[in-house]
Amino acid sequence: MSGRRFGANDTVDFVVVGSGAAGGVMARELSQAGFEVLVLEQGPRFTAADFKHDELDHWFNNALLNSPETSPQTFRRSAADPAERVRNFPSLWYARMVGGSSNHFTANYWRFHEVDFSERSLLGEIAGTSFADWPIDYAELEPYYTKVEWEVGVSGLAGASPFDPPRSKPYPMPPLPVKSSGVLLERGARKLGMHPFPAPMAIASVPYRGRPACAHCGFCIGFGCEMSAKSSTLYTMLPEAEATGRCEVRSESYVFRVATNDRGRVTGVSYFDRERREHFQKARAVVLCANGAESARLLLMSANAKFPDGLANSSGLVGRNLMFNTYAEVNAIFEHELNEYKSVQVTRIVHDFYDSDPKRGFYGGGGFDSRIGPNPIVWSMFAPPPERAWGAEFKALLEAMPRAMIVATHGTSLPLETNRVDLDPDLKDAWGLPAMRVTYRDHPDDLATARFLQDRGVEVMQAAGAQQVWKGPVAEAPGSPHLLGTCRMGNDPKTSVVDRYHRTHDIPNLFVCDGSSFVTSGRGQPTMTIQALAFRAGEHIAGFARRREI
């Protein structure tokens, strides 16, 4: 690590709250543009050597995640229901560490398609929802998608999918080697007239920009990469930001308030250090990249006499329109060993059902891929259907695990104002701050989309020759790692929180850029778009600062 170390009385140009997919990009872009940047991250900083292949610790002790003990949450289906404390595993889950969830993500890196930005105009109103167009389109974001692929590092094959939107450059690395699950998905899909293609992944398939290629250890989803092949901001954006000599990444610094002055402008942030001592950091501007739950919570916790409903909340939409993306699984067992526990999760994807089709009778679309899913312990606990979860049937499924794979489906999630993150009136976290209260109910079209995609996955596995196929449950989501829409982007201050450049409508030197900015959910893989938005926002915010418009 290198870079600047700011003193207690320094006023930095920018405080960036959060160091994940968006925060890491923002730190690099602003520091390379010549500005002093302090990144405050609530979790610790690990090195590649700190990451372990410990299933129990990662999946049951929340090794890299926000802990429900120290950072509790409550959950309810509607405002009329009592909010119950979430135990064991958080409802809204994300990595609490330098690099954020870009450390433990699957690294599936789809671009959004052109339709994702303008579906409201194409399809019209959907009753009971806040369905809307984005204030930007795909063409405006395309150069920044390309920048993600080349600067962060994405492996893939341009032109392999007939459904892909236009692109200005090919991928910088070839796709990762196909796995057994990819071969079988491709076999079944082609028999049914579908168009599978190599998965774009934020994992190095060859040595890239000083990082080694993937070693195919099999521990991607839920784990940090001890090879540094996964393109986390821990290995990519943050070291480049620090190398400018103008950026400091300060770990174990838990921001709990954004301060404003009498003119309604941000003056800095208050945070707790590792020993839970309180500090104040002065800043000329603040950029929240804390994720789609924590950014909204921080704005609400920062309420004051001038902003009694929370910062940037004149619309009343801070925390609202929470979207998760739909997800469903198909389990399949084949005659021969697949050994899916090796290598990356995903090597082939199908996007034939990406667009919404009125003939289906409901809104929604998405894609599906093939993978191992969780590691063996989690698979043995959650893959078997209830009637096969004990005795001889259960033993047979455990023994069949080397011959097993899943099809994972990823779909749209409609924005509803009633789905939200706000502050629990009673429960506090370990620092005495209000816990997050989650209110969430899937729209019926979301569940219909999940079932539709799941049925297509069953058909593909049967066409591929699976001996056994069964569906995982499709039910209302209890939570998600995809936290979208809670500070939505828009041109109208009455119906959005930030403008098309991620500046809050209410406070000119406060910006929000992460999954919370999303207007619609996309089809289930948001991180690529989060980073494209961050590259675009960083460029514009630097321009505002140079022109003294902040």
Side-chain angles (χ1 to χ4, degrees):
M1 290 183 291
S2 61
R4 183 74 174 271
R5 294 293 177 267
F6 297 105
N9 294 319
D10 288 339
T11 300
V12 299
D13 294 318
F14 293 96
V15 161
V16 175
V17 181
S19 63
V25 168
M26 195 67 65
R28 195 198 81 151
E29 292 301 280
L30 293 175
S31 59
Q32 287 189 348
F35 298 101
E36 293 179 334
V37 180
L38 174 61
V39 180
L40 295 176
E41 165 57 49
Q42 60 180 250
R45 185 165 192 159
F46 297 127
T47 67
D50 294 318
F51 294 126
K52 309 296 181 185
H53 294 174
D54 188 333
E55 277 190 71
L56 290 174
D57 196 28
H58 282 71
W59 288 110
F60 298 94
N61 295 333
N62 303 301
L64 299 183
L65 299 181
N66 48 317
S67 166
E69 293 302 316
T70 57
S71 301
Q73 301 169 4
T74 59
F75 185 89
R76 59 187 181 175
R77 288 294 176 197
S78 73
D81 299 326
E84 302 290 339
R85 181 167 179 172
V86 179
R87 303 288 182 179
N88 300 322
F89 200 81
S91 178
L92 310 182
W93 47 293
Y94 45 88
R96 192 169 184 158
M97 57 182 291
V98 173
S101 294
S102 70
N103 287 293
H104 72 67
F105 64 3
T106 309
N108 237 344
Y109 257 44
W110 310 344
R111 294 182 178 206
F112 277 17
H113 293 192
E114 292 162 299
V115 68
D116 286 301
F117 299 92
S118 58
E119 279 190 299
R120 171 62 174 81
S121 293
L122 292 170
L123 301 177
E125 181 182 2
I126 298 178
T129 76
S130 46
F131 194 41
D133 287 342
W134 291 58
I136 61 174
D137 60 17
Y138 173 82
E140 187 169 349
L141 200 56
E142 194 284 329
Y144 304 100
Y145 277 127
T146 297
K147 195 167 185 179
V148 175
E149 290 166 357
W150 285 80
E151 297 296 308
V152 178
V154 179
S155 302
L157 181 61
S161 169
F163 307 106
D164 268 357
R167 58 168 50 245
S168 54
K169 290 179 70 174
Y171 289 99
M173 291 179 278
L176 287 144
V178 66
K179 297 176 62 176
S180 299
S181 59
V183 171
L184 292 167
L185 180 76
E186 186 157 5
R187 178 186 299 170
R190 291 202 184 281
K191 282 185 178 180
L192 298 174
M194 300 176 195
H195 304 81
F197 63 97
M201 301 290 285
I203 299 173
S205 60
V206 295
Y208 191 70
R209 297 179 70 135
R211 294 186 291 122
C214 177
H216 307 285
C217 69
F219 287 81
C220 286
I221 183 172
F223 296 83
C225 182
E226 77 276 21
M227 293 296 298
S228 69
K230 192 187 292 188
S231 300
S232 166
T233 56
L234 176 68
Y235 302 131
T236 58
M237 298 291 96
L238 293 170
E240 293 183 21
E242 291 170 314
T244 66
R246 291 183 289 271
C247 178
E248 177 187 353
V249 179
R250 194 174 293 172
S251 61
E252 297 181 283
S253 299
Y254 180 15
V255 178
F256 63 90
R257 183 182 300 115
V258 179
T260 61
N261 59 21
D262 293 340
R263 296 187 297 127
R265 297 178 66 87
V266 164
T267 58
V269 299
S270 296
Y271 69 96
F272 292 116
D273 66 16
R274 183 178 183 179
E275 284 74 38
R276 301 188 182 181
R277 296 172 299 202
E278 184 175 333
H279 301 270
F280 184 75
Q281 176 62 53
K282 294 182 287 185
R284 296 179 179 87
V286 171
V287 187
L288 302 187
C289 301
N291 74 45
E294 290 278 17
S295 288
R297 176 181 178 235
L298 183 52
L299 291 172
L300 296 172
M301 287 197 302
S302 301
N304 55 39
K306 191 172 184 64
F307 300 102
D309 297 320
L311 302 188
N313 199 23
S314 62
S315 64
L317 293 178
V318 169
R320 294 188 179 272
N321 296 306
L322 176 65
M323 297 174 287
F324 282 168
N325 289 132
T326 55
Y327 178 81
E329 289 183 358
V330 175
N331 293 275
I333 294 176
F334 287 82
E335 178 183 1
H336 300 292
E337 288 191 358
L338 310 181
N339 295 324
E340 279 298 298
Y341 59 85
K342 298 177 181 179
S343 193
V344 300
Q345 285 281 316
V346 179
T347 57
R348 289 295 183 272
I349 292 175
V350 171
H351 273 180
D352 289 70
F353 310 102
Y354 194 96
D355 289 359
S356 188
D357 185 347
K359 294 178 183 178
R360 297 175 196 153
F362 51 85
Y363 163 78
F368 51 84
D369 60 54
S370 53
R371 55 174 77 183
I372 180 181
N375 303 99
I377 294 174
V378 178
W379 186 88
S380 68
M381 294 179 67
F382 299 106
E387 68 274 12
R388 303 175 69 182
W390 190 256
E393 286 281 345
F394 181 57
K395 179 175 181 290
L397 281 179
L398 293 182
E399 291 173 344
M401 202 273 175
R403 298 185 284 117
M405 59 172 282
I406 69 171
V407 173
T409 75
H410 314 277
T412 43
S413 179
L414 281 162
L416 308 176
E417 283 194 20
T418 50
N419 287 344
R420 66 184 301 192
V421 174
D422 66 353
L423 306 180
D424 192 279
D426 303 310
L427 186 62
K428 307 294 182 185
D429 70 8
W431 293 261
L433 302 173
M436 279 189 281
R437 179 173 62 182
V438 183
T439 306
Y440 195 88
R441 168 153 280 157
D442 286 296
H443 190 278
D445 284 13
D446 299 336
L447 299 176
T449 298
R451 294 187 187 101
F452 170 82
L453 293 171
Q454 188 181 53
D455 288 343
R456 305 292 78 73
V458 168
E459 293 167 356
V460 169
M461 288 294 92
Q462 290 172 338
Q467 292 183 324
Q468 301 176 49
V469 181
W470 70 95
K471 300 177 185 178
V474 174
E476 289 199 283
S480 177
H482 295 179
L483 311 175
L484 312 171
T486 53
C487 298
R488 65 158 45 182
M489 177 194 296
N491 295 323
D492 186 351
K494 295 179 181 178
T495 58
S496 59
V497 176
V498 299
D499 68 13
R500 66 197 317 271
Y501 303 113
H502 298 264
R503 190 200 299 259
T504 63
H505 291 298
D506 300 348
I507 302 174
N509 62 338
L510 175 62
F511 301 82
V512 185
C513 184
D514 50 32
S516 64
S517 307
F518 281 36
V519 182
T520 54
S521 69
R523 267 66 179 171
Q525 302 301 333
T527 312
M528 175 67 154
T529 299
I530 288 171
Q531 291 199 302
L533 290 169
F535 273 117
R536 177 179 173 276
E539 180 181 300
H540 286 286
I541 293 169
F544 297 150
R546 279 193 291 266
R547 296 190 297 272
R548 301 186 181 278
E549 295 174 2
I550 293 177

